[in-house]
Protein backbone atom coordinates (compact mmCIF):
# COMPACT_ATOMS: atom_id res chain seq x y z
CA UNK A 1 0.00 0.00 0.00
CA UNK A 2 0.98 3.65 -0.38
CA UNK A 3 2.56 4.93 2.85
CA UNK A 4 0.16 6.95 4.99
CA UNK A 5 1.72 10.10 6.48
CA UNK A 6 0.30 12.56 8.99
CA UNK A 7 1.26 15.06 11.69
CA UNK A 8 0.68 14.21 15.34
CA UNK A 9 0.30 17.11 17.76
CA UNK A 10 -1.47 17.86 21.04
CA UNK A 11 -1.84 20.31 23.91
CA UNK A 12 -2.10 23.52 21.93
CA UNK A 13 -3.81 25.11 24.96
CA UNK A 14 -5.11 28.02 22.94
CA UNK A 15 -6.20 30.85 25.20
CA UNK A 16 -3.58 30.09 27.88
CA UNK A 17 -3.11 33.23 29.98
CA UNK A 18 0.43 32.74 31.36
CA UNK A 19 -0.62 34.53 34.52
CA UNK A 20 2.75 34.04 36.24
CA UNK A 21 4.62 35.94 33.55
CA UNK A 22 5.23 39.71 33.33
CA UNK A 23 2.76 41.56 31.12
CA UNK A 24 4.97 41.98 28.04
CA UNK A 25 6.13 38.34 28.04
CA UNK A 26 2.58 37.18 28.62
CA UNK A 27 1.35 39.03 25.52
CA UNK A 28 4.15 37.58 23.38
CA UNK A 29 3.47 34.01 24.49
CA UNK A 30 -0.28 34.31 23.99
CA UNK A 31 0.20 35.61 20.45
CA UNK A 32 2.66 32.84 19.58
CA UNK A 33 0.27 30.20 20.88
CA UNK A 34 -2.55 31.51 18.72
CA UNK A 35 -0.30 31.12 15.66
CA UNK A 36 0.30 27.40 16.20
CA UNK A 37 -2.53 26.32 13.88
CA UNK A 38 -1.03 28.26 10.98
CA UNK A 39 2.41 26.86 11.81
CA UNK A 40 1.12 23.28 11.83
CA UNK A 41 -0.67 23.87 8.53
CA UNK A 42 2.54 25.16 6.98
CA UNK A 43 4.51 22.20 8.34
CA UNK A 44 1.95 19.75 6.94
CA UNK A 45 2.05 21.38 3.54
CA UNK A 46 5.86 21.41 3.49
CA UNK A 47 5.92 17.70 4.32
CA UNK A 48 3.22 16.87 1.79
CA UNK A 49 0.78 15.35 4.30
CA UNK A 50 -2.98 15.75 4.25
CA UNK A 51 -3.92 15.00 7.88
CA UNK A 52 -3.20 16.51 11.29
CA UNK A 53 -4.15 14.62 14.47
CA UNK A 54 -4.69 16.70 17.62
CA UNK A 55 -4.58 14.46 20.71
CA UNK A 56 -6.58 16.66 23.08
CA UNK A 57 -6.37 19.99 24.89
CA UNK A 58 -6.88 22.16 21.86
CA UNK A 59 -7.96 24.83 24.38
CA UNK A 60 -6.58 25.68 27.80
CA UNK A 61 -10.00 25.75 29.45
CA UNK A 62 -13.55 24.64 28.81
CA UNK A 63 -14.54 28.28 28.34
CA UNK A 64 -12.13 29.83 25.81
CA UNK A 65 -13.20 33.17 24.40
CA UNK A 66 -15.24 33.29 21.22
CA UNK A 67 -12.30 35.08 19.61
CA UNK A 68 -9.88 32.24 20.41
CA UNK A 69 -12.32 29.60 19.14
CA UNK A 70 -13.26 31.32 15.91
CA UNK A 71 -9.69 32.27 14.98
CA UNK A 72 -8.57 28.67 15.48
CA UNK A 73 -11.40 27.34 13.32
CA UNK A 74 -10.71 29.95 10.64
CA UNK A 75 -7.03 28.96 10.51
CA UNK A 76 -7.94 25.28 10.13
CA UNK A 77 -10.59 26.00 7.54
CA UNK A 78 -8.16 28.11 5.52
CA UNK A 79 -5.90 25.07 5.02
CA UNK A 80 -8.29 23.52 2.54
CA UNK A 81 -5.86 20.76 1.53
CA UNK A 82 -5.68 19.40 5.10
CA UNK A 83 -7.98 17.38 7.33
CA UNK A 84 -7.87 18.14 11.07
CA UNK A 85 -8.89 15.38 13.50
CA UNK A 86 -9.24 16.30 17.16
CA UNK A 87 -10.53 14.93 20.45
CA UNK A 88 -11.41 16.81 23.65
CA UNK A 89 -8.73 16.55 26.34
CA UNK A 90 -9.01 16.96 30.08
CA UNK A 91 -8.74 20.78 29.88
CA UNK A 92 -11.48 21.08 27.24
CA UNK A 93 -13.45 17.91 27.89
CA UNK A 94 -16.63 16.90 26.10
CA UNK A 95 -18.54 17.96 29.21
CA UNK A 96 -18.12 21.53 27.93
CA UNK A 97 -21.18 21.17 25.71
CA UNK A 98 -21.43 24.87 24.88
CA UNK A 99 -17.82 24.95 23.66
CA UNK A 100 -18.09 21.95 21.37
CA UNK A 101 -21.55 22.82 20.08
CA UNK A 102 -20.20 26.21 19.06
CA UNK A 103 -17.17 24.58 17.45
CA UNK A 104 -19.40 22.21 15.51
CA UNK A 105 -21.58 25.03 14.21
CA UNK A 106 -18.61 26.99 12.83
CA UNK A 107 -16.19 24.21 11.80
CA UNK A 108 -15.29 23.86 8.15
CA UNK A 109 -15.75 20.55 6.33
CA UNK A 110 -12.07 19.70 6.80
CA UNK A 111 -12.29 19.95 10.61
CA UNK A 112 -13.43 16.78 12.35
CA UNK A 113 -14.48 16.93 16.01
CA UNK A 114 -14.37 13.41 17.43
CA UNK A 115 -16.74 13.54 20.38
CA UNK A 116 -17.53 9.82 20.76
CA UNK A 117 -15.36 6.70 21.09
CA UNK A 118 -16.35 5.58 17.63
CA UNK A 119 -14.01 4.65 14.76
CA UNK A 120 -13.80 6.75 11.63
CA UNK A 121 -12.17 5.93 8.30
CA UNK A 122 -9.83 8.83 7.58
CA UNK A 123 -9.17 7.55 4.09
CA UNK A 124 -9.81 4.10 2.53
CA UNK A 125 -7.95 1.48 4.55
CA UNK A 126 -6.99 3.85 7.42
CA UNK A 127 -9.08 3.66 10.60
CA UNK A 128 -8.84 6.23 13.39
CA UNK A 129 -9.88 5.07 16.87
CA UNK A 130 -10.49 8.12 19.09
CA UNK A 131 -10.78 8.20 22.88
CA UNK A 132 -12.23 11.64 23.70
CA UNK A 133 -12.18 12.81 27.32
CA UNK A 134 -15.80 12.96 28.43
CA UNK A 135 -15.00 14.76 31.68
CA UNK A 136 -11.98 16.50 33.17
CA UNK A 137 -11.27 13.52 35.45
CA UNK A 138 -12.78 10.34 34.04
CA UNK A 139 -10.89 7.97 36.35
CA UNK A 140 -10.79 5.17 33.79
CA UNK A 141 -8.92 4.03 30.71
CA UNK A 142 -10.88 5.47 27.81
CA UNK A 143 -8.82 3.53 25.25
CA UNK A 144 -9.93 0.08 26.40
CA UNK A 145 -12.67 -0.17 23.76
CA UNK A 146 -10.03 -0.19 21.02
CA UNK A 147 -9.07 -3.79 21.86
CA UNK A 148 -12.43 -5.14 20.71
CA UNK A 149 -12.83 -3.16 17.50
CA UNK A 150 -12.13 -5.20 14.37
CA UNK A 151 -10.88 -3.85 11.06
CA UNK A 152 -10.30 -5.58 7.72
CA UNK A 153 -7.00 -7.43 7.41
CA UNK A 154 -4.27 -5.21 6.05
CA UNK A 155 -5.93 -1.93 7.08
CA UNK A 156 -4.10 0.57 9.26
CA UNK A 157 -5.26 1.23 12.85
CA UNK A 158 -4.40 4.54 14.55
CA UNK A 159 -5.37 5.37 18.14
CA UNK A 160 -5.89 8.93 19.36
CA UNK A 161 -6.01 9.53 23.13
CA UNK A 162 -5.24 11.99 25.90
CA UNK A 163 -3.89 11.25 29.36
CA UNK A 164 -1.06 9.69 31.35
CA UNK A 165 -0.02 6.06 31.32
CA UNK A 166 0.30 3.77 34.32
CA UNK A 167 4.10 3.74 34.44
CA UNK A 168 4.78 7.27 33.24
CA UNK A 169 2.42 9.81 34.72
CA UNK A 170 0.68 12.93 33.52
CA UNK A 171 1.25 16.66 33.29
CA UNK A 172 -2.07 17.06 35.08
CA UNK A 173 -2.79 15.53 38.49
CA UNK A 174 -5.56 12.93 38.40
CA UNK A 175 -5.49 12.85 34.60
CA UNK A 176 -6.73 9.95 32.51
CA UNK A 177 -4.93 6.62 32.96
CA UNK A 178 -4.01 4.74 29.77
CA UNK A 179 -2.55 1.26 29.61
CA UNK A 180 1.07 1.38 28.41
CA UNK A 181 0.31 -1.79 26.44
CA UNK A 182 -2.66 -0.37 24.56
CA UNK A 183 -0.96 -0.24 21.16
CA UNK A 184 -0.15 -3.92 21.45
CA UNK A 185 -3.45 -5.14 22.88
CA UNK A 186 -5.49 -3.07 20.39
CA UNK A 187 -3.22 -4.01 17.45
CA UNK A 188 -2.58 -0.36 16.71
CA UNK A 189 -0.03 0.65 14.14
CA UNK A 190 0.37 3.92 16.02
CA UNK A 191 -1.07 5.46 19.20
CA UNK A 192 -1.03 9.27 19.13
CA UNK A 193 -1.03 10.53 22.72
CA UNK A 194 -1.52 13.93 24.30
CA UNK A 195 -1.28 15.44 27.82
CA UNK A 196 2.50 15.39 28.41
CA UNK A 197 3.84 18.75 27.18
CA UNK A 198 7.23 17.37 26.22
CA UNK A 199 7.83 14.77 23.53
CA UNK A 200 8.08 11.24 24.94
CA UNK A 201 8.38 7.82 23.34
CA UNK A 202 6.42 5.29 25.35
CA UNK A 203 7.24 2.43 22.99
CA UNK A 204 7.79 1.83 19.27
CA UNK A 205 4.14 2.50 18.47
CA UNK A 206 3.07 4.94 21.21
CA UNK A 207 4.27 8.51 21.49
CA UNK A 208 3.47 11.82 23.12
CA UNK A 209 4.00 14.60 20.61
CA UNK A 210 4.43 17.37 23.17
CA UNK A 211 2.98 20.82 22.67
CA UNK A 212 3.77 22.69 19.43
CA UNK A 213 4.55 25.85 21.46
CA UNK A 214 6.45 25.22 24.70
CA UNK A 215 4.89 26.69 27.83
CA UNK A 216 7.05 25.74 30.80
CA UNK A 217 10.65 25.26 31.89
CA UNK A 218 9.89 21.64 32.78
CA UNK A 219 9.98 20.78 29.08
CA UNK A 220 12.98 22.69 27.77
CA UNK A 221 13.52 23.86 24.23
CA UNK A 222 11.05 24.78 21.54
CA UNK A 223 7.72 23.14 20.87
CA UNK A 224 7.44 20.43 18.27
CA UNK A 225 5.16 18.01 16.47
CA UNK A 226 5.72 14.55 15.02
CA UNK A 227 5.67 13.51 11.39
CA UNK A 228 4.47 9.89 11.26
CA UNK A 229 4.69 7.54 8.29
CA UNK A 230 2.98 4.14 8.26
CA UNK A 231 4.11 1.87 5.44
CA UNK A 232 1.79 -1.04 6.15
CA UNK A 233 -0.27 -2.82 8.78
CA UNK A 234 1.97 -4.32 11.44
CA UNK A 235 5.04 -2.39 10.28
CA UNK A 236 6.78 -0.10 12.76
CA UNK A 237 6.03 3.60 12.23
CA UNK A 238 8.70 5.98 10.98
CA UNK A 239 8.57 9.05 13.22
CA UNK A 240 10.38 12.36 12.65
CA UNK A 241 10.45 15.31 15.03
CA UNK A 242 9.63 18.71 13.52
CA UNK A 243 10.37 21.90 15.48
CA UNK A 244 7.36 24.23 15.47
CA UNK A 245 7.77 26.58 18.44
CA UNK A 246 8.67 30.24 18.22
CA UNK A 247 9.90 30.46 21.82
CA UNK A 248 12.74 28.54 23.44
CA UNK A 249 12.51 27.74 27.18
CA UNK A 250 15.71 27.05 29.08
CA UNK A 251 16.69 26.49 32.70
CA UNK A 252 20.38 26.62 33.64
CA UNK A 253 22.36 26.04 36.82
CA UNK A 254 25.06 28.61 37.59
CA UNK A 255 27.41 26.95 40.08
CA UNK A 256 29.62 29.53 41.80
CA UNK A 257 32.49 29.72 44.30
CA UNK A 258 34.38 32.70 45.75
CA UNK A 259 37.00 32.09 43.04
CA UNK A 260 34.47 32.25 40.18
CA UNK A 261 34.39 34.85 37.45
CA UNK A 262 30.64 35.23 37.77
CA UNK A 263 30.22 37.42 34.69
CA UNK A 264 32.16 35.04 32.44
CA UNK A 265 30.23 32.03 33.73
CA UNK A 266 26.92 33.80 33.16
CA UNK A 267 27.86 34.77 29.62
CA UNK A 268 28.88 31.18 28.84
CA UNK A 269 25.33 30.03 29.57
CA UNK A 270 23.60 32.55 27.32
CA UNK A 271 22.34 31.51 23.86
CA UNK A 272 24.99 32.03 21.21
CA UNK A 273 22.87 34.08 18.80
CA UNK A 274 22.13 37.33 20.55
CA UNK A 275 19.73 38.46 17.84
CA UNK A 276 17.39 35.64 18.91
CA UNK A 277 17.39 36.35 22.65
CA UNK A 278 13.97 37.96 22.34
CA UNK A 279 12.61 34.49 21.55
CA UNK A 280 14.16 32.91 24.64
CA UNK A 281 12.83 32.45 28.16
CA UNK A 282 15.60 31.70 30.63
CA UNK A 283 15.55 30.75 34.28
CA UNK A 284 18.98 30.89 35.88
CA UNK A 285 19.45 29.13 39.21
CA UNK A 286 22.53 30.44 40.99
CA UNK A 287 23.99 28.02 43.54
CA UNK A 288 27.08 27.83 45.73
CA UNK A 289 29.00 30.50 47.65
CA UNK A 290 30.00 34.01 46.59
CA UNK A 291 31.38 37.16 48.10
CA UNK A 292 29.41 40.39 48.26
CA UNK A 293 31.28 41.91 45.27
CA UNK A 294 30.55 38.76 43.23
CA UNK A 295 26.87 38.88 44.09
CA UNK A 296 26.68 42.51 43.07
CA UNK A 297 28.54 41.77 39.82
CA UNK A 298 26.07 38.97 39.05
CA UNK A 299 23.07 41.20 39.63
CA UNK A 300 24.54 43.90 37.41
CA UNK A 301 25.39 41.42 34.63
CA UNK A 302 21.87 40.01 34.66
CA UNK A 303 20.38 43.50 34.58
CA UNK A 304 22.42 44.19 31.44
CA UNK A 305 21.13 41.21 29.43
CA UNK A 306 17.65 40.51 30.83
CA UNK A 307 15.75 43.17 28.82
CA UNK A 308 16.83 41.51 25.58
CA UNK A 309 15.04 38.26 26.49
CA UNK A 310 11.35 37.49 26.29
CA UNK A 311 11.74 36.59 29.95
CA UNK A 312 14.79 36.22 32.21
CA UNK A 313 14.58 35.13 35.84
CA UNK A 314 17.47 34.84 38.29
CA UNK A 315 16.84 32.58 41.28
CA UNK A 316 19.27 33.01 44.16
CA UNK A 317 17.64 30.91 46.87
CA UNK A 318 20.46 28.37 46.56
CA UNK A 319 23.21 30.98 46.68
CA UNK A 320 25.03 31.64 49.96
CA UNK A 321 27.35 34.50 50.80
CA UNK A 322 30.88 34.33 52.08
CA UNK A 323 31.59 37.58 53.89
CA UNK A 324 35.09 38.99 54.23
CA UNK A 325 36.51 41.85 56.26
CA UNK A 326 37.64 43.46 53.01
CA UNK A 327 33.97 43.65 51.99
CA UNK A 328 33.23 45.65 55.13
CA UNK A 329 35.94 48.14 54.23
CA UNK A 330 34.04 48.82 51.00
CA UNK A 331 30.98 49.70 53.07
CA UNK A 332 32.66 51.89 55.70
CA UNK A 333 35.98 51.90 57.55
CA UNK A 334 34.55 53.28 60.77
CA UNK A 335 31.51 54.83 62.39
CA UNK A 336 27.97 53.59 62.87
CA UNK A 337 27.70 52.11 59.38
CA UNK A 338 30.81 50.01 59.95
CA UNK A 339 29.48 48.85 63.33
CA UNK A 340 26.19 47.82 61.73
CA UNK A 341 28.03 45.91 59.01
CA UNK A 342 30.16 44.07 61.59
CA UNK A 343 27.07 43.13 63.60
CA UNK A 344 25.38 41.73 60.48
CA UNK A 345 28.49 39.78 59.51
CA UNK A 346 28.70 38.33 63.00
CA UNK A 347 25.06 37.26 62.90
CA UNK A 348 25.46 35.73 59.42
CA UNK A 349 28.37 33.59 60.60
CA UNK A 350 26.98 32.65 64.02
CA UNK A 351 26.59 28.87 63.92
CA UNK A 352 24.41 29.00 67.03
CA UNK A 353 21.67 30.77 65.10
CA UNK A 354 19.06 29.04 62.94
CA UNK A 355 19.92 29.02 59.23
CA UNK A 356 16.96 31.22 58.44
CA UNK A 357 18.18 33.92 60.84
CA UNK A 358 21.68 33.69 59.40
CA UNK A 359 20.29 34.05 55.87
CA UNK A 360 18.37 37.18 56.86
CA UNK A 361 21.49 38.76 58.30
CA UNK A 362 23.48 37.77 55.21
CA UNK A 363 20.88 39.25 52.88
CA UNK A 364 20.85 42.49 54.88
CA UNK A 365 24.63 42.72 54.66
CA UNK A 366 24.53 42.12 50.91
CA UNK A 367 21.92 44.85 50.56
CA UNK A 368 24.03 47.22 52.64
CA UNK A 369 27.04 46.46 50.44
CA UNK A 370 25.05 47.15 47.27
CA UNK A 371 23.75 50.46 48.64
CA UNK A 372 27.26 51.49 49.62
CA UNK A 373 28.55 50.74 46.13
CA UNK A 374 25.67 52.62 44.52
CA UNK A 375 26.32 55.64 46.76
CA UNK A 376 30.02 55.52 45.95
CA UNK A 377 29.33 55.37 42.21
CA UNK A 378 26.89 58.28 42.44
CA UNK A 379 29.40 60.38 44.35
CA UNK A 380 32.08 59.68 41.77
CA UNK A 381 29.72 60.61 38.96
CA UNK A 382 28.84 63.94 40.58
CA UNK A 383 32.50 64.70 41.12
Amino acid sequence: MTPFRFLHTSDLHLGKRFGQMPEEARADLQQARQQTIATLARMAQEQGVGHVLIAGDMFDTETPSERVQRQALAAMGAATDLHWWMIPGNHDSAAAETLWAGMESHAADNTHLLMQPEPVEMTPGVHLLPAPCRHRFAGQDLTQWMDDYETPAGDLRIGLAHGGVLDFGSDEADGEVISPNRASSARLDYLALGDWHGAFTLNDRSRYSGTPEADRFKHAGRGQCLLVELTGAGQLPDVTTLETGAYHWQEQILQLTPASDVVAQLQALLPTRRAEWHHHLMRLKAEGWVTAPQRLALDEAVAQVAPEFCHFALEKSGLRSEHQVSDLDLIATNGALRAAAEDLMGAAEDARQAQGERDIASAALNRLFAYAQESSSSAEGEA
Side-chain angles (χ1 to χ4, degrees):
M1 66 173 290
T2 302
F4 182 71
R5 304 168 77 239
F6 59 91
L7 293 189
H8 166 201
T9 188
S10 70
D11 298 279
L12 280 67
H13 286 271
L14 302 181
K16 186 178 179 69
R17 296 184 179 277
F18 293 98
Q20 302 303 312
M21 286 289 172
E23 182 178 354
E24 290 181 316
R26 186 164 63 244
D28 289 343
L29 296 173
Q30 289 172 342
Q31 180 62 29
R33 187 154 298 271
Q34 200 65 20
Q35 294 298 315
T36 53
I37 296 291
T39 300
L40 290 167
R42 175 173 54 80
M43 286 285 182
Q45 291 157 352
E46 289 175 355
Q47 297 299 325
V49 305
H51 300 269
V52 179
L53 274 58
I54 303 176
D57 282 357
M58 174 82 165
F59 300 105
D60 191 54
T61 70
E62 295 182 341
T63 56
S65 69
E66 183 77 6
R67 179 176 183 268
V68 167
Q69 297 174 53
R70 295 290 292 278
Q71 288 186 6
L73 287 170
M76 287 187 284
T80 55
D81 53 343
L82 292 177
H83 282 274
W84 304 83
W85 307 85
M86 73 182 72
I87 58 171
N90 60 325
H91 276 254
D92 55 8
S93 76
E97 296 179 1
T98 301
L99 165 62
W100 293 106
M103 290 282 288
E104 183 68 39
S105 65
H106 294 101
D109 291 340
N110 68 338
T111 303
H112 310 278
L113 312 181
L114 308 173
M115 307 304 295
Q116 299 296 329
E118 299 172 350
V120 294
E121 195 166 14
M122 300 171 66
T123 193
V126 181
H127 303 265
L128 181 62
L129 284 61
C133 294
R134 301 166 187 167
H135 304 281
R136 185 171 178 88
F137 305 116
Q140 59 181 305
D141 186 348
L142 299 175
T143 67
Q144 189 169 357
W145 73 272
M146 299 177 185
D147 290 3
D148 299 324
Y149 179 70
E150 298 296 332
T151 53
D155 283 6
L156 294 175
R157 296 164 62 91
I158 302 171
L160 185 62
H162 185 91
V165 293
L166 295 176
D167 62 351
F168 178 51
S170 167
D171 259 351
E172 186 75 18
D174 299 321
E176 315 305 337
V177 178
I178 298 171
S179 168
N181 301 315
R182 184 61 60 209
S184 176
S185 64
R187 307 170 305 286
L188 300 175
D189 296 291
Y190 185 79
L191 176 57
L193 294 167
D195 178 61
W196 192 250
H197 288 202
F200 182 80
T201 300
L202 180 62
N203 54 51
D204 288 339
R205 300 182 187 277
S206 309
R207 298 201 184 210
Y208 287 88
S209 64
T211 175
E213 188 64 57
D215 58 7
R216 61 193 68 181
F217 291 105
K218 179 179 180 180
H219 303 297
R222 284 186 166 87
Q224 61 185 50
C225 70
L226 300 178
L227 170 64
V228 183
E229 179 174 303
L230 302 176
T231 56
Q235 301 297 312
L236 291 178
D238 182 17
V239 183
T240 304
T241 298
L242 303 177
E243 190 174 87
T244 55
Y247 286 91
H248 186 287
W249 294 63
Q250 182 180 23
E251 184 175 82
Q252 292 279 14
I253 302 296
L254 181 62
Q255 195 68 43
L256 299 172
T257 71
S260 297
D261 182 337
V262 296
V263 176
Q265 285 189 221
L266 167 65
Q267 292 175 341
L269 295 178
L270 300 178
T272 54
R273 299 187 64 180
R274 188 163 188 163
E276 295 181 359
W277 285 3
H278 66 291
H279 278 152
H280 282 256
L281 296 93
M282 190 165 188
R283 183 163 65 189
L284 190 65
K285 291 187 173 182
E287 298 178 353
W289 294 83
V290 292
T291 64
Q294 285 177 305
R295 185 181 286 263
L296 181 60
L298 175 61
D299 288 339
E300 292 175 344
V302 168
Q304 286 293 318
V305 301
E308 297 183 43
F309 284 74
C310 175
H311 176 68
F312 195 110
L314 174 63
E315 293 188 5
K316 297 185 288 186
S317 59
L319 191 63
R320 304 287 184 186
S321 293
E322 180 180 280
H323 299 291
Q324 303 172 353
V325 174
S326 58
D327 297 340
L328 303 189
D329 292 339
L330 295 175
I331 296 174
T333 56
N334 53 48
L337 195 57
R338 173 62 179 232
E342 290 177 348
D343 288 344
L344 289 172
M345 182 173 174
E349 297 178 350
D350 188 350
R352 298 169 299 177
Q353 299 293 323
Q355 188 60 55
E357 296 297 324
R358 296 173 65 184
D359 289 344
I360 292 173
S362 179
L365 184 55
N366 288 326
R367 183 67 59 85
L368 186 60
F369 179 86
Y371 284 154
Q373 296 307 296
E374 291 174 4
S375 298
S376 176
S377 298
S378 298
E380 291 176 1
E382 293 175 358

